Amino acid sequence: MKTQLLIAAACVASAVAFSASSEQSGRRQFLQTASTAAVSTVVLPNVASAEIVVPEQSKEYAFPSDWGLTYQYDTDAARVRAHMFTATGLAKGSERMEDFGKNLKKEMIDFVSYYRRFPQVAGKPSFSTLYTSINVLAGHYTSYGYKYPLPEKRRKRLYQEYAEIEKSLKRNR
């Protein structure tokens, strides 16, 4: 949405800057710039906006055996993110879904309570985005329990945050 607004503003600015005649009436100039902005938003609807693909919920997954922290931030953040990614995609009735949720919630709490004490970690973009995702998923577990899958809107938001976390971790941020 922001990209579309920026493109529209750029088109309006260019239309105003390169208008052929300065003697045009105010109404005519307004209509020209408004139509240019409208056409640009229709013609270029999603330039540079990456859509996140939300995978279908599934009952089949490999139950992890690597729960807990290693106390190395990059490793732990990637592991917690991977476990959260799996949990976000679980469908209702998945095998051991409740055990998965309980283990994940404990891991998320341990992760946040350990790493938020360190300013050099707590200031990283990956940590703040992961912290937000943890709050969303932990809030869902608190409100609805471990047996109920996340709604589509919440899943989409979480997958967007997981993509941001992955990018930040690759950049050591």
Side-chain angles (χ1 to χ4, degrees):
M1 186 68 185
K2 289 180 184 177
T3 308
Q4 291 173 350
L5 291 174
L6 288 173
I7 291 171
C11 289
V12 168
S14 64
V16 170
F18 296 111
S19 63
S21 172
S22 61
E23 298 173 7
Q24 292 178 346
S25 68
R27 180 184 296 171
R28 187 174 191 175
Q29 190 173 12
F30 171 76
L31 289 174
Q32 180 183 12
T33 56
S35 64
T36 304
V39 168
S40 67
T41 56
V42 171
V43 172
L44 304 168
N46 288 324
V47 174
S49 64
E51 283 293 320
I52 300 297
V53 176
V54 179
E56 292 294 320
Q57 291 181 328
S58 174
K59 290 185 178 184
E60 298 176 12
Y61 69 99
F63 193 85
S65 60
D66 59 348
W67 297 106
L69 301 179
T70 62
Y71 301 103
Q72 296 174 340
Y73 175 74
D74 293 334
T75 306
D76 290 341
R79 180 181 293 169
V80 170
R81 181 204 161 276
H83 291 163
M84 290 175 67
F85 192 92
T86 303
T88 304
L90 294 179
K92 188 171 184 173
S94 297
E95 187 177 332
R96 297 182 70 188
M97 186 175 185
E98 192 168 0
D99 292 337
F100 191 95
K102 287 178 180 178
N103 287 339
L104 179 58
K105 189 163 183 184
K106 182 185 181 327
E107 185 178 60
M108 292 186 305
I109 291 169
D110 292 346
F111 178 84
V112 168
S113 58
Y114 180 74
Y115 285 109
R116 72 175 165 200
R117 296 182 285 169
F118 303 107
Q120 68 271 19
V121 172
K124 291 185 172 196
S126 61
F127 180 79
S128 61
T129 308
L130 188 54
Y131 198 143
T132 302
S133 301
I134 287 171
N135 282 335
V136 170
L137 195 55
H140 174 80
Y141 286 152
T142 301
S143 298
Y144 301 102
Y146 302 106
K147 295 182 181 180
Y148 296 98
L150 284 92
E152 190 67 25
K153 191 173 182 180
R154 191 171 296 147
R155 288 179 61 232
K156 183 175 182 180
R157 177 179 166 206
L158 282 171
Y159 283 125
Q160 288 172 340
E161 290 177 359
Y162 298 154
E164 288 178 34
I165 294 164
E166 186 176 24
K167 286 178 192 174
S168 295
L169 287 173
K170 283 181 182 177
R171 296 178 186 151
N172 292 323
R173 298 178 100 190

